[in-house]
Amino acid sequence: MRKLKLNGLAAAALAGLLAAGLPLAAPDAAAEWRGWNIHVPDYPVSHGMEDFAKKIEERTDGRLTAKTYHSGVLGTQPDAIEQVRLGGIDFAVFNLGPMGQVVPATNVVSLPFIFKGMDHMHRVMDGPIGDEIGAAMAEKGLVPLAWYDSGARSFYNSQKPIMTPDDVKGMKVRVMNNDLFVGMIEAMGGNATPMAFGEVYQSLKTGVIDGAENNWPSYESTNHFEVAGYYSDSGHLIIPECLCINKGLWDSLSAEDQEIVRQAARESAELQRKLWAERAEASREKVVAAGVKYNDIADKAAFQAAMAPVYDAFLEKNPEIRPLVEKIQATD
Ligand code: BDP
């Protein structure tokens, strides 16, 4: 057999995947918990997860310990969602976008323009609707401990400013793994390509795709701005993220430890949200200074109108989720 030469990152990813591939038969709260994170170490999510780990360790006098594996070395997001469900990975911060394939109720937050802004998203997620979405996740083996921020996602590409939905026509646009996002791009006449986050830079560079969509911090931290220099402020998706834990592991904890873990998670979310707001601004400034051509889309009505078929198709396929959509729309 040919010997494979792996660089450090690939070797770590492989080791992680091999280890992660074996679901634990019984969760072991005393063993060091392994946490999955897709982002580089200097990122608001990463700092939130480090804060969480530090606090549970301190507050249980080291009975509980946790280590976060950053930069996606434990695998892609769809794989990691499965692994946290199975117990091969203990905790993670997931974007609710790809979660929709596993927990249909979470799709409500992936509907374009469902939230009127970040504050509206917070009011929804920090109240009973967030609890309802969380309960649906717990049923699938993922217990959400706190909601993290992920800003608003906008389109960026290597060709031209996007001003109207028509500008997306014919463009090859990368989306996160969820049929809803494929429908979203197709509704504007673009060609959607679901693809792992880690593959986007190279695909933009080689022209496999023309563009993608994300918030300022991810556009900046991944260096996508170097290879896709037009960023158009569509803000079409505001998707929260969750710090969540394997349900078996959660259930094995004493009530006292559950309280410590949940409190640490909440505090980590407060920190993450504060760092998020700062980083969103800093990232925007950094990429604009680097020469990114940014355009505002003051009137988003045309994009919202283009999304009507996405809602129709989604509600037709998932009629049981309609009340949740209506409750979000009715929240001030
Ligand atoms: C980032 C999210 C991350 C996603 C990524 C993506 O924080 O969870 O994996 O976007 O586009 O904003 O895949």
Side-chain angles (χ1 to χ4, degrees):
M1 205 173 80
R2 204 159 66 89
K3 264 200 185 157
L4 276 179
K5 270 208 181 136
L6 297 176
N7 63 27
L9 197 64
L14 186 62
L17 278 176
L18 289 176
L22 299 169
L24 304 173
D28 181 0
E32 183 173 76
W33 298 358
R34 297 187 331 137
W36 175 93
N37 174 29
I38 204 159
H39 293 291
V40 291
D42 182 17
Y43 197 85
V45 168
S46 317
H47 295 307
M49 294 182 80
E50 292 290 343
D51 184 68
F52 168 69
K54 186 166 142 262
K55 284 186 172 147
I56 61 174
E57 189 160 341
E58 277 168 12
R59 293 173 187 178
T60 61
D61 295 321
R63 266 185 303 109
L64 302 179
T65 56
K67 179 172 160 66
T68 301
Y69 293 80
H70 302 295
S71 306
V73 294
L74 294 187
T76 65
Q77 184 143 205
D79 287 347
I81 291 172
E82 280 310 314
Q83 285 302 326
V84 174
R85 293 184 64 198
L86 295 169
I89 297 174
D90 301 300
F91 68 104
V93 170
F94 292 128
N95 186 282
L96 292 200
M99 183 74 65
Q101 298 292 94
V102 177
V103 188
T106 60
N107 276 321
V108 283
V109 301
S110 292
L111 287 165
F113 300 107
I114 185 90
F115 294 118
K116 294 166 202 149
M118 290 289 283
D119 291 346
H120 183 224
M121 183 274 282
H122 286 151
R123 285 194 296 278
V124 168
M125 296 309 289
D126 293 337
I129 301 174
D131 293 345
E132 198 176 328
I133 294 171
M137 288 170 59
E139 265 174 39
K140 296 287 167 101
L142 300 147
V143 176
L145 299 172
W147 305 116
Y148 278 23
D149 274 353
S150 190
R153 298 175 75 98
S154 290
F155 293 112
Y156 54 89
N157 74 92
S158 57
Q159 327 240 297
K160 60 177 185 198
I162 291 173
M163 310 280 196
T164 70
D166 257 10
D167 293 325
V168 180
K169 222 173 239 163
M171 238 184 220
K172 288 175 283 177
V173 183
R174 177 269 175 175
V175 291
M176 289 192 284
N177 182 47
N178 188 328
D179 302 338
L180 244 178
F181 304 140
V182 173
M184 175 179 84
I185 300 299
E186 287 177 349
M188 293 181 289
N191 302 317
T193 311
M195 183 185 283
F197 191 42
E199 285 170 28
V200 179
Y201 180 90
Q202 203 55 27
S203 303
L204 284 167
K205 194 171 177 184
T206 55
V208 168
I209 50 172
D210 304 314
E213 42 89 56
N214 221 314
N215 49 56
W216 289 112
S218 280
Y219 178 57
E220 174 260 310
S221 69
T222 53
N223 297 324
H224 292 176
F225 69 95
E226 293 173 358
V227 283
Y230 294 94
Y231 191 97
S232 309
D233 194 21
S234 51
H236 53 279
L237 291 172
I238 296 180
I239 309 181
E241 309 207 337
C242 70
L243 170 56
C244 44
I245 182 171
N246 166 266
K247 184 161 190 309
L249 177 56
W250 176 251
D251 290 343
S252 76
L253 298 177
S254 65
E256 184 203 346
D257 281 352
Q258 283 188 348
E259 186 46 39
I260 291 172
V261 170
R262 199 180 277 288
Q263 183 57 26
R266 286 204 184 113
E267 290 173 24
S268 79
E270 268 171 44
L271 172 72
Q272 193 273 346
R273 290 180 186 191
K274 181 176 152 284
L275 295 177
W276 181 268
E278 292 166 9
R279 179 65 174 259
E281 192 53 28
S283 293
R284 190 179 60 77
E285 278 168 17
K286 181 177 165 185
V287 300
V288 170
V292 160
K293 296 195 177 53
Y294 161 75
N295 70 281
D296 205 0
I297 301 176
D299 181 10
K300 306 218 165 65
F303 286 89
Q304 283 163 357
M307 293 305 136
V310 178
Y311 276 70
D312 292 346
F314 174 71
L315 291 171
E316 197 180 312
K317 227 170 110 192
N318 306 277
E320 73 288 357
I321 296 174
R322 184 181 286 274
L324 210 46
V325 174
E326 286 171 356
K327 272 192 254 177
I328 294 180
Q329 287 169 335
T331 302
D332 282 332

